[in-house]
Amino acid sequence: MTFKEQIQEGIPSILPPKKEYDLAINHAPKRKEILSAEEKKLALKNALRYFEPQHHAELITEFAEELEKYGRIYMYRFRPDYRMYARPIDEYPGKSLQAKAIMHMIQNNLDYAVAQHPHELITYGGNGAVFQNWAQYLLTMQYLSEMTDEQTLTMYSGHPMGLFPSHKEAPRVVVTNGMVIPNYSKPDDWEKMNALGVSQYGQMTAGSYMYIGPQGIVHGTTITVLNGFRKIKLNPEGNLFVTSGLGGMSGAQPKAGNIAGCITVCAEVNPKITKIRHEQGWINEIVTSTEELVARVNSAKANKETVSIAYLGNVVDVWECFDKENIKIDLGSDQTSLHNPWAGGYYPAGISFEEANEMMADNPDLFKEKVQESLRRQAKAINKHTAKGTYFFDYGNAFLLEASRAGAAVMAENNIDFKYPSYVQDIMGPMCFDYGFGPFRWVCTSGKPEDLQKTDTIASQVLEELAKTSPNEIQQQMQDNIKWIKGAQENKLVVGSQARILYADAEGRVKIAEAFNQAIAKGEIGTVVLGRDHHDVSGTDSPYRETSNIYDGSRFTADMAIQNVIGDSFRGATWVSIHNGGGVGWGEVINGGFGMVLDGSKEASKRLASMLFWDVNNGISRRSWARNEGAVFAIKRAMEVEPLLKVTLPNLVDESLL
């Protein structure tokens, strides 16, 4: 069968042969035992409902073995034989250009060069899934190949509920992930529902088909590192940034450090992912002992090098060793997946990677003890460094939250706030999000590098023109972004699809998108998909990260994210998504995203102007109402530009009256 025929077939009527478990692939760790005997029967019934009854006798034993061995039913047998990558859009079967673009994005999320655990359909973060099993993937792709522009596909946590009649201006796909009743949003609730096959953790851009590899976070990380050094009034050159994690999102850190121009030490316990990041050019060097690391860092400091060094080992050892050896750390953070601390998101010091994987599945209570002991050690070492002048910030990965739950000394004197700020509180919130600057993305679905290069040039020209009349309040942001996009090609950021990320405000996003649409209409470039990270101005309500600089008491509300995805859906988004969890953990955040297909049409031009303006200004208005100074400035400016926009502004109270 051809590739198109395999897509159109969906779940095969004749069972494919059973597949061998590929040990060369980076697999998800075994999930802990959580289902009762009756619940295991229910999980099997749930899995088998995808298949005709004559196949149940053969599949039930196989699925039962997967459930026992891996803690989940992935249906490995049904993993496609074709290579998984984002093909040029015209290679997909279908009746809808928009649906073909979504297939392109789904396959990019599962590309072996992009996905963290591709055979388990997990893109990043240890549990950020596109689908729960391979039957869901096959059925979804089949539906997309059949869809017309008069239908909408409804996705329930990876499960394609079906194609429903709609209309051309409606989203082609509506995605929900992990939308559970609030009282059932604890980590073990997710473990049980995911094992039953009824819910999943979509992370932010995994389950919304908008992940573009580590590039997706590298721009924001670069801005964070640059502004971190600015905050402590240091030039990055010859100075040290220490962090951890080389996974899907955290893997951006060493590349960002190189672009910023500092020395970066990034610890990672997983040898496979360390090797992959080195081969991809996202890190310069790998060292395997603290002795070698100390010597290398001292040499880099002496020569004022720009270099990224991966330490294959535990970050706790780095913090403790550098304290003992009196190596000055200028910036410090952590980007391990502590939203998922008990299932592979964080590995404790003192035991090997292999031992930890066994312990988390076979003795989860002891594993939890080891993780919390390790967090206390790490926090203690960090506190010693900050006493010497290190600027440490929480990278929104729930490090401080989980460290506090472990009893580590990370609380402020009031015992309510954390001792260290979130990077959103200190850097990204007041400098970017309040002014409307966030991670705008686009993907050239032709798969042609020359198309991406043309879009880089177009975006650069638009920003340079806008910068001529931009107010002083946002000139630093404009210049940082112009420098970024001009260096995008030489920094070799592409992994997977021909994609780009660029921090821009509403005006920049609309004008760049319109310029793309005009270039498509002229035949200069092919179809483009617009999107963004959920980690943005409006998309996410997350009290310890995206909305951590909201101080009016509304940090724990989720009105903004819900309004965002509803508003995007009727203003022209091609697909929308809303997730529980993402970045900081299940039950800790609600986040929404979108995708929009540009085809060069007048209709696309109308949709992009309406939707992108709303997508940003929804968040600015909420931040303005919280009395954030930059957001008040930004929303007033937006109202001057758009007479139909009228936002309620806060009146400030004289503190002496209080």
Side-chain angles (χ1 to χ4, degrees):
M1 295 173 73
T2 65
F3 169 71
K4 287 185 177 181
E5 288 170 339
Q6 288 180 77
I7 293 293
Q8 291 168 322
E9 181 187 34
I11 298 172
S13 55
I14 299 173
L15 292 184
K18 192 174 178 180
K19 286 185 168 60
E20 292 294 322
Y21 188 80
D22 189 347
L23 295 174
I25 295 296
N26 190 35
H27 286 285
K30 180 185 176 183
R31 306 306 183 183
K32 70 179 181 181
E33 183 88 14
I34 198 162
L35 299 182
S36 67
E38 285 303 309
E39 286 167 337
K40 287 178 181 178
K41 290 179 183 178
L42 181 57
L44 290 167
K45 285 171 67 177
N46 288 345
L48 289 168
R49 59 186 160 177
Y50 286 102
F51 307 96
E52 296 174 7
Q54 64 264 31
H55 300 312
H56 289 183
E58 181 173 352
L59 292 176
I60 192 167
T61 305
E62 185 177 317
F63 290 170
E65 287 174 354
E66 286 188 13
L67 189 59
E68 289 297 321
K69 196 167 184 179
Y70 310 115
R72 297 292 186 271
I73 299 171
Y74 296 114
M75 307 180 185
Y76 289 122
R77 176 195 289 256
F78 295 93
R79 183 169 51 80
D81 291 322
Y82 51 73
R83 185 183 154 211
M84 190 68 70
Y85 72 103
R87 289 162 171 75
I89 193 169
D90 57 8
E91 292 186 19
Y92 292 96
K95 304 167 186 175
S96 165
L97 179 72
Q98 295 180 354
K100 291 180 182 182
I102 296 167
M103 286 192 269
H104 175 98
M105 300 299 292
I106 287 172
Q107 289 207 306
N108 185 67
N109 268 24
L110 295 171
D111 185 333
Y112 285 21
V114 174
Q116 183 182 15
H117 305 306
H119 286 192
E120 289 77 35
L121 302 116
I122 290 171
T123 302
Y124 68 91
N127 57 1
V130 188
F131 302 99
Q132 297 179 65
N133 57 58
W134 285 103
Q136 292 179 347
Y137 165 83
L138 295 174
L139 193 52
T140 299
M141 296 294 278
Q142 182 185 38
Y143 276 138
L144 289 168
S145 74
E146 297 171 353
M147 172 189 285
T148 73
D149 287 341
E150 300 281 348
Q151 291 173 302
T152 293
L153 176 61
T154 303
M155 300 295 300
Y156 279 43
S157 282
H159 169 66
M161 191 60 75
L163 291 171
F164 291 81
S166 60
H167 55 85
K168 287 184 178 180
E169 297 305 312
R172 295 283 68 80
V173 179
V174 175
V175 179
T176 55
N177 279 303
M179 288 287 108
V180 303
I181 306 303
N183 279 354
Y184 302 90
S185 206
K186 297 183 291 297
D188 273 0
D189 293 324
W190 171 75
E191 291 279 359
K192 179 168 287 191
M193 284 183 266
N194 194 224
L196 287 171
V198 296
S199 192
Q200 74 171 7
Y201 196 95
Q203 263 287 349
M204 298 185 113
T205 52
S208 59
Y209 325 141
M210 191 45 71
Y211 188 64
I212 58 170
Q215 178 188 181
I217 196 175
V218 72
H219 189 11
T221 308
T222 301
I223 291 171
T224 301
V225 173
L226 278 173
N227 285 317
F229 278 110
R230 286 170 181 156
K231 191 171 182 66
I232 59 176
K233 296 179 173 57
L234 276 183
N235 189 313
E237 185 183 358
N239 290 312
L240 179 61
F241 171 44
V242 169
T243 185
S244 60
L246 284 173
M249 299 298 273
S250 54
Q253 294 177 106
K255 173 70 83 172
N258 281 2
I259 296 169
C262 64
I263 302 162
T264 304
V265 170
C266 192
E268 171 59 60
V269 296
N270 186 334
K272 283 183 181 175
I273 197 64
T274 305
K275 181 173 180 285
I276 288 169
R277 291 288 174 253
H278 188 246
E279 289 171 349
Q280 290 173 342
W282 286 73
I283 52 176
N284 299 127
E285 303 171 14
I286 300 173
V287 299
T288 56
S289 72
T290 52
E291 293 80 11
E292 184 184 357
L293 182 63
V294 167
R296 185 65 189 91
V297 168
N298 281 331
S299 170
K301 277 177 168 279
N303 295 312
K304 293 190 178 295
E305 292 181 55
T306 295
V307 63
S308 55
I309 306 161
Y311 171 67
L312 183 53
N314 200 289
V315 71
V316 178
D317 297 329
V318 175
W319 284 104
E320 291 177 343
C321 172
F322 282 12
D323 172 54
K324 182 181 176 183
E325 298 294 331
N326 210 28
I327 291 178
K328 172 70 185 303
I329 298 172
D330 301 290
L331 291 187
S333 195
D334 186 280
Q335 212 175 118
T336 49
S337 297
L338 270 158
H339 68 275
N340 182 30
W342 324 125
Y346 181 94
Y347 283 78
I351 58 175
S352 71
F353 179 61
E354 294 75 18
E355 288 173 319
N357 279 328
E358 289 178 13
M359 188 186 294
M360 78 175 72
D362 300 336
N363 195 343
D365 291 340
L366 179 59
F367 182 77
K368 183 175 181 178
E369 285 180 24
K370 292 290 185 185
V371 165
Q372 293 191 319
E373 177 189 323
S374 192
L375 284 168
R376 290 191 293 271
R377 277 178 58 186
Q378 185 172 345
K380 183 179 179 181
I382 288 168
N383 290 340
K384 289 181 178 179
H385 282 278
T386 57
K388 300 176 189 177
T390 297
Y391 172 61
F392 182 86
F393 56 89
D394 184 284
Y395 224 134
N397 63 330
F399 171 74
L400 290 178
L401 183 63
E402 286 302 332
S404 70
R405 289 168 175 169
V410 294
M411 302 306 294
E413 288 184 11
N414 63 13
N415 211 34
I416 298 171
D417 301 313
F418 294 126
K419 183 183 294 187
Y420 304 112
S422 152
Y423 76 118
V424 173
Q425 286 177 289
D426 257 20
I427 299 170
M428 297 303 288
M431 295 181 185
C432 292
F433 293 165
D434 284 354
Y435 288 99
F437 286 86
F440 183 50
R441 295 179 177 181
W442 64 88
V443 178
C444 297
T445 65
S446 66
K448 296 176 181 176
E450 55 267 33
D451 273 15
L452 184 61
Q453 193 159 6
K454 288 174 186 175
T455 60
D456 286 344
T457 301
I458 291 169
S460 178
Q461 291 169 346
V462 169
L463 288 185
E464 286 186 315
E465 191 61 32
L466 288 174
K468 292 176 184 177
T469 55
S470 293
N472 290 333
E473 286 86 347
I474 61 170
Q475 276 297 329
Q476 180 69 70
Q477 292 92 324
M478 294 297 291
Q479 295 309 317
D480 280 350
N481 296 331
I482 290 167
K483 182 180 178 182
W484 163 267
I485 196 65
K486 283 188 168 182
Q489 293 286 331
E490 65 188 62
N491 286 319
K492 297 178 181 177
L493 300 165
V494 171
V495 176
S497 60
Q498 293 297 316
R500 184 66 72 228
I501 185 169
L502 170 65
Y503 267 57
D505 62 3
E507 183 182 28
R509 298 184 206 202
V510 170
K511 292 196 172 178
I512 290 168
E514 178 56 31
F516 290 168
N517 202 47
Q518 290 177 13
I520 296 165
K522 294 173 186 173
E524 295 170 1
I525 57 175
T527 304
V528 170
V529 169
L530 301 181
R532 58 161 168 75
D533 193 358
H534 297 195
H535 175 60
D536 196 6
V537 181
S538 295
T540 296
D541 281 296
S542 179
Y544 298 110
R545 197 164 77 181
E546 283 79 6
T547 45
S548 60
N549 70 319
I550 300 291
Y551 300 110
D552 68 349
S554 68
R555 284 195 305 162
F556 296 92
T557 66
D559 299 83
M560 181 178 72
I562 299 298
Q563 289 282 358
N564 187 257
V565 77
I566 293 171
D568 283 355
S569 69
F570 67 76
R571 286 181 173 87
T574 306
W575 73 95
V576 291
S577 60
I578 189 79
H579 301 180
N580 168 21
V584 296
W586 176 269
E588 304 283 0
V589 52
I590 299 293
N591 66 88
F594 77 88
M596 175 178 275
V597 176
L598 300 184
D599 58 7
S601 67
K602 290 180 181 178
E603 291 78 11
S605 181
K606 183 179 177 181
R607 287 194 294 266
L608 73 87
S610 174
M611 201 223 77
L612 293 176
F613 183 84
W614 154 260
D615 189 69
V616 176
N617 282 296
N618 167 50
I620 297 176
S621 64
R622 186 266 177 96
R623 293 168 187 278
S624 166
W625 187 239
R627 296 181 290 270
N628 291 17
E629 186 178 348
V632 173
F633 166 84
I635 204 66
K636 285 180 177 178
R637 182 168 174 250
M639 285 192 281
E640 290 171 4
V641 172
E642 175 50 78
L644 292 178
L645 178 68
K646 189 172 183 179
V647 171
T648 309
L649 296 174
N651 293 296
L652 304 183
V653 179
D654 185 337
E655 289 290 326
S656 67
L657 293 175
L658 299 170

